[in-house]
Amino acid sequence: MNTVLDIKGLKVDFEIKGRKISSPIRGIDLSINAGETHGIVGETGCGKSLTALAIMGMLPANALRTGCISLGDVGELTPENIQQNRGNTISMIFQNPHSAFNPVFTIEQQLLYVARAKGFSSDESHALFPDRLKEVGLVEIHRILKSYPHELSGGMLQRCMIAMALLSKPKLLIADEPTTALDATIGGQVLTLLKRLQKEQGFAMLFISHDVTAVARVSERIAVLYAGKIVEDGPTAEVLGDPQHPYTKGLLGAIPSRNKARGTLAAIPGTVPSNTLGMTGCAFKSRCHLAVPQCDEEPNLTPHGHTSVACWEVRT
Amino acid sequence: MLRIIWKRVTSAFLVLFAASFFTFFLSRIVPNDPALAYIGGKTTAADEQKVRTLLGLDQPLPIQYFKYLRDMLKGNWGYSLSTKQPVLSEILRRLPATLELIFFAVGFALFLGIICGIIAAKKPKGFASSFIRIAAIAGISVPAFWLGLLLQLLFVGKFHIFPATGEFDIDIKFTNPIHHITGFPLFDSLITGNFTALTSGLKHMVLPALTLSAYSFGLITRMSRGNLLEVLGQEYINVARANGISERLILFKLALKNAIPPVITVTGLSTAYLITGTFFVEQVYGWPGIGGFAANSLISVDYPAIMGITILGAVGYLVINFLVDIIYAKLDPRVKL
Amino acid sequence: MITKVKAGFTFIRGDIWTAISTFILTVFVLVAVLGKWILPYPSEGTGTANVDHLHIGPGAAHWLGTDELGRDLLSRLMYGARSVLFTSLLVVIVAALVGTVLGLMAAFFGGWIDSAIMNISSLFLSFPPLLLSLVAVSLLGPGLKNSLIALMISWWPWYARLIRNEARFVKLRPFVEIAESMGVSRRRIIFRHLLPNVTSPLIIQFAADLGTVILAAGSLAFIGLGAQPPAADWGLLVAQGRSVIFDQWWISTFAGLAIFLVVLAFNSLGDVLRDHFDPRRSK
């Protein structure tokens, strides 16, 4: 087993003038092996994107990160070494392909900037680009290279973004909501593409989305994130087929699907807490129908078969 | 491209038409008698009548206007009432000095303005940023004529660093006369290797150019800072960072190219403002350019000269706006001319 | 009421620079309004020469020195504040009024009225700023009244265009169509619906323009085409001090400084208002 990404005890706090104002990530442990995809699902505000930023070392200035993030052979990622690794051993693709590209430069020019940052020479880059673009399933490569972002479609741009991220053959690819802004069919194609590329190149992938179906399609393992903590983590089939945590059950129950019988969609009462500062115990307890007095103490992730669940009410 | 030029030219004609109509109209409805202004002094009624016929002032107004338009298109812009010389040649004679002055003023404003904008955008909350913001507002608020006097007071009167007035030291004409190739004095002295004249010219240029640049500097700094801040907050900057591109490259190449186009627009706008600014600055510094000529013409109500200046001003404004549009389109591929 | 005043205070206090600007403007307005009653040397301020006191620099008796006719400069400046403030107010109010009415009409009626008004405005605006004013004053003859008329003539198109664009934007919103279809009278639509929504850009432009007009009027006076002696217009005072600038530096310096500070304060205020009303717009 070749562990590429290993996160231990990741915590992120926001502070102003030395005073903590919120704790968006309250303790995450995660590891991903080479060639494997680990998905993170959760509602907006649970801390998914912040996790990605934390790994990339791109948290806002007033954020305080603790915990250990290490990457394969590189070792621990620190503020000192993160910049070399960015776009090199770790790459990221983003949600909105139209705003991810610089409007006043052509695709080729933007790829060139990235390539040069990795140490490719101009000539090497120009030889490299057509192949890479073909790899991500693009045709009319010459036209695309000379185009400006506003002249291309969302699907094309997303493929360019993937090509750009994979230029240096990274060990880890973080995908933050890559299909959310795309049409369903295009999104599906991008997911297939990502899986194929992963098989060919062998990188580990962290796939973040609020769209459970998308995550399910590409991930071997899924972690469910709630209020900055993982509440359930395990192989995809098990987490989705037999969810244990009450939040996971609620989340999955709220998804419209052809297989479900007609009826109303279940909704979880209440809303995700916006600020967990000062909260004790399980963050879900105010919305949970299983809540008991013991929930005033924070439950940790405990193994339950092949998955891990953070809930007192789940008997091992 | 040709269609754009055509559109501009037609609207240019409309503007010039309006300009000439405006000045003509005002000059004819006011109490001052142009004939008297031309002669200026003790005259007999017969002389006045002779002048009137000479200047065509006895014709009906529409015919006067028509004649005026026709002459203007032929290049005859009338004769200045004060200098008695053809207006067009007076203007063309003085144009180079003003153009050089504007060149230095705008160049300086752009250079310093963009640098200050970058500094203020990199650390928006810092002391430097606040200082620069205030300096920018000060730039647009300061009366040019006062700044000119103040600079003269300090650097000429107190510190004796710079000369007070004029474009060159007076004796340059004799000791190191400039060989005119392009007609632009400083440029000519540069390309003919006449370094005494060049240094003299540059020394004389410093204060007027600084004075004139204040307003542009303010606008450019403000726009640069604001725009750059907005650009730096965009998603594609984050993506570039995620792809490992250095902060320096991000700022100077990727962000700047996005932030610059509106700065160009603002530069054009302030340059147009500068055109009237020269009226005051050249007067204060005794600069032999159009501004001084315009100021004197306005004071002495020299109709032909005023009309000439107005036409020139409108034309200049049009040309500047046109240039700005072209440069903007070149920089931003999303904009179609 | 108390909460509004409190909100006003935090609004101002947030920034030391804003506080300074507000202070300058308050002093300016007070001096302009109280005028003659608070001059240190009332008779000199209003114009009486005092030949015994020529060439006195800044000092205890005359804080800013005396001018070329021996009059206390501070008094002259204070007396001039009134003219500076009220003339620029007049120009901006008239220009704003005319421009707003025309702009609203153009936006509401559309069609040929819109084209006519906008084309005329564009024509005026296709000249470098201030050029039209300068030419108009020159041809009308120097003097305060003519300079004000000239400024009004060149200022109204800005408002017409601004208001027309803002109003058109508002007009496209559904609630106006609904009002129209319900038979609300045209006048009501203009005043009750369009106008309130264009007030914020109007206010911002107004505040900034006050400063710009003061600058323009001062420039006209400096060049000799605006207020004439023995008026105490600040631009005029700068011009008068120019001939003796190297010896009696204080005349031009302080008169110009007054213009600078007041315009600076108005522009800062305009900025603050802009941030307050619409932080979306880039500076």
Side-chain angles (χ1 to χ4, degrees), chain B residues 72-155:
Chain B
M72 208 175 62
L73 289 171
K74 284 201 295 190
N76 175 6
W77 286 19
Y79 289 82
S80 160
L81 296 180
S82 21
T83 67
K84 310 288 190 283
Q85 299 297 314
V87 168
L88 190 58
S89 71
E90 288 287 300
I91 290 182
L92 289 178
R93 193 161 65 90
R94 292 182 164 80
L95 200 52
T98 304
L99 288 179
E100 279 189 338
L101 178 61
I102 293 185
F103 173 75
F104 276 92
V106 173
F108 183 71
L110 257 181
F111 179 70
L112 202 61
I114 294 183
I115 290 182
C116 284
I118 293 179
I119 296 177
K122 269 182 83 177
K123 279 221 192 108
K125 304 263 168 84
F127 173 72
S129 176
S130 306
F131 181 72
I132 288 174
R133 287 178 71 181
I134 297 181
I137 302 188
I140 33 183
S141 314
V142 71
F145 56 87
W146 178 66
L147 183 62
L149 287 177
L150 212 59
L151 288 179
Q152 275 184 329
L153 188 60
L154 282 175
F155 292 102

Side-chain angles (χ1 to χ4, degrees), chain B residues 113-124 220-234 236-237 241 250-263, chain C residues 282-283:
Chain B
I114 294 183
I115 290 182
C116 284
I118 293 179
I119 296 177
K122 269 182 83 177
K123 279 221 192 108
I220 291 174
T221 305
R222 230 162 46 154
M223 181 59 86
S224 300
R225 175 186 174 274
N227 244 32
L228 203 51
L229 271 178
E230 203 184 302
V231 166
L232 284 174
Q234 294 294 315
Y236 52 84
I237 297 294
R241 208 170 275 140
I250 289 181
L251 180 65
F252 286 104
K253 287 273 167 69
L254 302 176
L256 213 50
K257 192 161 182 230
N258 277 281
I260 287 296
V263 176
Chain C
S282 46
K283 298 179 221 263

Side-chain angles (χ1 to χ4, degrees), chain C residues 192-216:
Chain C
R192 289 292 221 86
H193 297 283
L194 290 181
L195 190 53
N197 282 288
V198 302
T199 34
S200 55
L202 185 59
I203 294 180
I204 297 172
Q205 183 76 17
F206 192 90
D209 272 351
L210 276 176
T212 322
V213 169
I214 292 180
L215 207 51

Side-chain angles (χ1 to χ4, degrees), chain B residues 132-214:
Chain B
I132 288 174
R133 287 178 71 181
I134 297 181
I137 302 188
I140 33 183
S141 314
V142 71
F145 56 87
W146 178 66
L147 183 62
L149 287 177
L150 212 59
L151 288 179
Q152 275 184 329
L153 188 60
L154 282 175
F155 292 102
V156 180
K158 234 178 164 174
F159 302 131
H160 304 292
I161 309 181
F162 294 109
T165 57
E167 201 183 3
F168 292 98
D169 295 332
I170 308 182
D171 39 346
I172 288 286
K173 253 196 270 206
F174 307 109
T175 54
N176 298 77
I178 305 174
H179 186 59
H180 290 281
I181 305 185
T182 60
F184 289 90
L186 265 185
F187 188 64
D188 282 337
S189 57
L190 176 67
I191 53 180
T192 54
N194 186 344
F195 291 114
T196 338
L198 185 63
T199 29
S200 164
L202 285 176
K203 267 207 305 197
H204 282 258
M205 178 69 86
V206 174
L207 292 183
L210 265 177
T211 312
L212 199 57
S213 70

Side-chain angles (χ1 to χ4, degrees), chain A residues 53 56 58 83 86-87 90-92 94-95 99-105 113-114 117-118 148 150 164-165, chain B residues 234-247 249 253-255 257-258 261 331-334 336:
Chain A
L53 290 179
M56 297 288 284
M58 282 166 52
Q83 214 248 319
R86 254 189 241 140
I90 327 173
S91 281
M92 188 162 164
F94 295 78
Q95 174 175 342
S99 53
F101 282 94
N102 196 321
V104 299
F105 289 99
Y113 273 114
V114 176
K118 315 246 167 307
Y148 287 97
H150 68 277
M164 199 155 75
Chain B
Q234 294 294 315
E235 178 84 329
Y236 52 84
I237 297 294
N238 234 14
V239 172
R241 208 170 275 140
N243 276 310
I245 302 180
S246 72
E247 288 299 319
L249 263 182
K253 287 273 167 69
L254 302 176
K257 192 161 182 230
N258 277 281
L331 286 176
D332 190 339
R334 292 169 290 183
K336 295 187 195 23

Side-chain angles (χ1 to χ4, degrees), chain A residues 52-92:
Chain A
L53 290 179
I55 301 175
M56 297 288 284
M58 282 166 52
L59 289 169
N62 64 336
L64 201 61
R65 147 159 111 74
T66 43
C68 178
I69 301 178
S70 41
L71 186 74
D73 308 326
V74 175
E76 183 169 351
L77 292 177
T78 62
E80 289 79 42
N81 66 16
I82 187 63
Q83 214 248 319
Q84 305 156 254
N85 284 297
R86 254 189 241 140
N88 223 338
T89 50
I90 327 173
S91 281
M92 188 162 164

Side-chain angles (χ1 to χ4, degrees), chain A residues 3-315:
Chain A
T3 312
V4 172
L5 177 67
D6 194 20
I7 305 177
K8 281 201 179 53
L10 176 67
K11 285 200 178 80
V12 174
D13 297 318
F14 282 135
E15 56 173 27
I16 290 188
K17 300 196 200 198
R19 215 171 41 102
K20 225 197 300 188
I21 54 169
S22 69
S23 287
I25 298 182
R26 302 179 301 126
I28 289 184
D29 298 306
L30 195 71
S31 68
I32 315 180
N33 297 320
E36 203 181 68
T37 305
H38 202 127
I40 297 187
V41 288
E43 297 166 87
T44 320
C46 68
K48 318 190 289 292
S49 295
L50 268 179
T51 311
L53 290 179
I55 301 175
M56 297 288 284
M58 282 166 52
L59 289 169
N62 64 336
L64 201 61
R65 147 159 111 74
T66 43
C68 178
I69 301 178
S70 41
L71 186 74
D73 308 326
V74 175
E76 183 169 351
L77 292 177
T78 62
E80 289 79 42
N81 66 16
I82 187 63
Q83 214 248 319
Q84 305 156 254
N85 284 297
R86 254 189 241 140
N88 223 338
T89 50
I90 327 173
S91 281
M92 188 162 164
I93 54 177
F94 295 78
Q95 174 175 342
N96 192 339
H98 281 286
S99 53
F101 282 94
N102 196 321
V104 299
F105 289 99
T106 60
I107 303 293
E108 182 172 33
Q109 288 169 328
Q110 299 189 50
L111 281 174
L112 214 57
Y113 273 114
V114 176
R116 281 217 289 260
K118 315 246 167 307
F120 289 106
S121 76
S122 262
D123 298 323
E124 287 171 335
S125 313
H126 284 117
L128 198 60
F129 293 160
D131 293 324
R132 293 310 173 87
L133 287 189
K134 230 189 299 194
E135 242 172 37
V136 293
L138 288 170
V139 286
E140 296 183 311
I141 294 188
H142 187 78
R143 176 179 86 85
I144 292 181
L145 279 174
K146 300 286 183 208
S147 300
Y148 287 97
H150 68 277
E151 296 169 336
L152 301 175
S153 74
M156 284 175 169
L157 285 176
Q158 192 59 290
R159 289 172 195 263
C160 291
M161 195 171 8
I162 295 175
M164 199 155 75
L166 296 179
L167 261 181
S168 58
K169 301 269 194 243
K171 301 234 167 43
L172 170 70
L173 179 68
I174 305 178
D176 188 5
E177 309 267 10
T179 53
T180 310
L182 301 172
D183 295 333
T185 22
I186 309 282
Q189 291 171 0
V190 170
L191 290 177
T192 320
L193 173 67
L194 282 172
K195 247 356 224 184
R196 171 168 70 78
L197 289 170
Q198 184 178 44
K199 217 183 318 170
E200 287 170 11
Q201 297 182 16
F203 50 80
M205 181 157 65
L206 181 65
F207 193 96
I208 300 173
S209 183
H210 64 266
D211 180 358
V212 183
T213 13
V215 180
R217 263 186 73 171
V218 291
S219 317
E220 284 85 33
R221 297 179 67 85
I222 290 190
V224 180
L225 200 60
Y226 184 78
K229 262 184 103 100
I230 298 182
V231 296
E232 190 159 354
D233 188 5
T236 312
E238 300 214 19
V239 173
L240 295 187
D242 187 22
Q244 296 298 312
H245 195 282
Y247 175 64
T248 319
K249 288 196 201 161
L251 197 63
L252 296 175
I255 300 173
S257 107
R258 281 179 317 193
N259 301 329
K260 288 224 184 67
R262 285 174 185 228
T264 48
L265 288 175
I268 313 175
T271 49
V272 181
S274 56
N275 195 331
T276 50
L277 208 60
M279 218 183 253
T280 49
C282 175
F284 190 61
K285 67 175 185 257
S286 55
R287 305 168 75 186
C288 182
H289 63 285
L290 294 176
V292 290
Q294 194 179 21
C295 297
D296 283 337
E297 195 184 314
E298 178 98 60
N300 287 317
L301 269 179
T302 37
H304 176 85
H306 289 140
T307 60
S308 306
V309 192
C311 181
W312 299 116
E313 288 300 293
V314 173
R315 312 271 174 234

